[in-house]
Amino acid sequence: MSTNKNLNRLALSAAIAGILVSGTVMAQDNAQPQGTTTTTPAPATTTPKNTQQAADAKNVQTLQQVVVTGTANGGLKKIDASYSITTATLQQIKEANPKSAADLLKISPGVYPESSGGQTGANIEVAGFPGGGDAPYVSFQLNGSPLYPMSTLSFMDNSSMFRLDDTIERLEAVQGGPSVLYGSGQPGLTANFILKQGTGVPSGDIGLTYGSEGMERLDGFFGFKIADGWFGSIGGFWRKSDGVRDPQFTADDGGSLTATLSHDFDNGTIMFYARDLKDHNQFVTDTPILNPSSGSFSNYPGFSPLTGTFGSKADRYETIQTTPCNTAGCTPGGFPVDLAKGRGADLHMAGGNLDLDFGGGWSLSDKFNFTGGQMNTISFFSTGANPSTLASYISGAETADGLPAGLVATANYTNGGAANMNENVNTQGLWYVHKEISSASNEIHLSKELFDGNTLTAGNYTAVYSDHDTWYLGNSMLLQAQSNPNPIVVNLSNGTNSYALTSPQGFASGSSFALHEAWNAVNTAFFLADSWKVDRWLFDAGVRIEHQEANGTLQNNASGDLDNNPNTLYNNGSSYLINSYTTVPYSKTAPSWTLGANYEFNDNMSAYVRVNDGIHFPGFDDLRGLPSTPVQKIHNMELGFKYQADWIYASVSAYHRLFYGVPYTITTDTGQQSFVYDSDTKGINFQTLIKPFEHFTLALGGDYMDGHYTHYLTCVQYVAQDGSNQCTSINGMQLQRQPKFQARLTPAYDVPTSWGSMRFWITYEYVGNRYGDLIEQQPLGNYYDLSFGAAANIGENWSLTLQGTNLTDQTGITEGNARLFGFASSNGVILARSIEGREVNFQVKYNF
């Protein structure tokens, strides 16, 4: 661990601890009851901190809660919202015990995050949205502004840019509906995180957490009054962890610091925030798993799907060759890489919200955000080849390279010792991606109440953003097919000629794809929306016209021998950058619209109907591969019902989602296949929380969906189980990676005591059958897992929490072999990725 990293860690820890200690002193000096934090600075309540937390945990969801996401002006009660919205307080977020920001989204019915690769890089599926990987239909917002205007770039989804901590007040997650009008116009899921702000009475918390995977974490928050009408807050976290999949070095290392400054005017508020995130995370893709029959999976010898990783001390530090040299025996140019850097974030964000009421029915709202930094990746990625014996691998390589007969192989581990020719080996690509991003966005709403109950809103959203990338993919390394492997060095000789099958570090190939690109884009949208309250009816309608203009400059590449030595086989066909460039211009305009109606039967029951058309502009990666990529069109129809009583909260919606012009490209070892298709999905989302008797609640949420591909006019090539080449249509096939049925059931029980309170809960999660590909050749089966929690609030200040995930160590496959199209199991073995194994953590927190 470097000196700089230790200094950064100590500085962040000291900053949080120092601020919180001073906050404790200030709170004690004030000698006043504890306060709560809200979206708008408000007078402190007299509710003790732990009592309030217990109340938050017990409360049945309320339809009277005001939400701000997906609204044209100000806020809207949930009972009046004619769209699907899921909310969670900070306490409810913690009880969900999410492994990452992406994993939290499973509380929104129909959302399936594949949070099996670590803290970052999750694939997130929204039922009926044919993503098939990454997270193109999920956008993250901070206080109403998008973290980055494009929801997904290669090696960067929005969730990877965000970490959960005590600076968050609540989550509002909206599926479709009026979200097509605002912000980045996301037709899928918009996850809006609202930050805590300071209050009139200083308050906050400091917590220490230890996890069974060697995790140590410090959390804290402090909100305070600066002067009359001025409030501030600061908080964040620092964490290090070996990871459930221990790579023999720190798997997760970093933290975040967030500050806010807010001011109350006579006719409104203004709030500024700044957030700094620096976090490095191990990222894990496919590992070998036994696959004896369709949908059945078990441990591969020497490699647990729950705790195994190809990271190790032996392969942590490597040097990638990138630049050819011209003389025989020369050393190609390159640079060192460190697997501990992983797939992390080094980001700086700043923004703010302005809300003003001018009187006479006029009001204005403005949100702005600036984001800049790096989202880099240094990780192993599967090459697609299933494990084989070392002897078989060498024999196959000799044939593929056309080498003469009679060669004798010598194989050694890079850390010393002769390798066993009968042991199983696997190749993994050590991919390097340097990604530098920046963005600035602003959204302004100007509203006017035209007459009683009717408000018209006009506005503009503009985003200017860039992405500069350097990639070196491939770099296939020969490794033992076991967790924490050794790289293997193989040389061949017949006494006359010698051949290096691998480099001295164990690389069996150079880069298969070298890329340097610079993209700049501007999106601007104008929208007009109207809401009209007529007795018990609330109607709303809106239209948006958006224009995207993007320009890319791509450095061209070539392939060849990097060291001018044909006998060093490992770098003979490497991809490298050359001094010529290609430009890619793009300019498109497309409309979105929405129409909804909500009927309130009484104060605790309503029903709604909504129709909307959304769009999804192509991303930079789409344009690089196919500049003529069409703008996707999404048509959504939804019918919903909400009900609340003392003993129940229920929200149910039925939907029909149609997609047109969806692009898809899969990269395999034989090249690329690109598709453009449509899809058709019908489904039901449901959320309910029941209180059958005092102190006990039962929460159930999930969805059923029937989605398939349509209107694909030709067939796609794939390799069948018998090795033959086949061609089939994707029409009628189930949407890739999406379960037809998924559900989560959480019984919870509260125990009041003379010294505070206790709460116990357990969550059963079921994820139904899915397929890893578009042609249903990679069945992923179904799985379940159990998580639990126990919390004790002691007095007014102390809280203890014990939580755990995947208690029974279930194997649950989230993705198949991402480098193969078609049947991927060979001799009962498949490369796939499972959910992580059991993890338990314990937190001690002091609230003040």
Side-chain angles (χ1 to χ4, degrees), residues 577-634:
L577 300 171
I578 60 177
N579 192 27
S580 68
Y581 299 84
T582 299
T583 58
V584 180
Y586 178 83
S587 181
K588 289 287 185 182
T589 300
S592 301
W593 59 266
T594 186
L595 177 64
N598 186 83
Y599 184 76
E600 186 177 339
F601 296 96
N602 50 49
D603 290 342
N604 63 330
M605 181 169 61
S606 66
Y608 68 87
V609 62
R610 179 166 294 277
V611 180
N612 62 264
D613 265 15
I615 57 171
H616 186 81
F617 282 106
F620 297 147
D621 303 290
D622 299 319
L623 296 175
R624 181 181 66 246
L626 184 65
S628 60
T629 298
V631 177
Q632 296 178 44
K633 300 184 185 301
I634 301 100

Side-chain angles (χ1 to χ4, degrees), residues 798-815:
W798 291 97
S799 62
L800 309 176
T801 306
L802 179 68
Q803 292 181 279
T805 58
N806 199 6
L807 297 183
T808 55
D809 268 342
Q810 297 297 311
T811 297
I813 305 302
T814 62
E815 73 173 21

Side-chain angles (χ1 to χ4, degrees), residues 1-2 5 249 312-319 336-340 430 477 487 505 507:
M1 186 174 296
S2 69
K5 184 181 292 185
F249 49 81
S312 70
K313 290 180 180 178
D315 59 32
R316 173 179 174 179
Y317 297 106
E318 304 294 345
T319 298
V337 296
D338 180 0
L339 269 176
L430 183 57
M477 180 172 283
Q505 296 179 85
F507 283 109

Side-chain angles (χ1 to χ4, degrees), residues 424-440:
N424 288 336
V425 298
N426 191 236
T427 52
Q428 291 284 308
L430 183 57
W431 290 15
Y432 170 88
V433 175
H434 176 79
K435 182 178 289 289
E436 189 162 347
I437 63 170
S438 64
S439 71

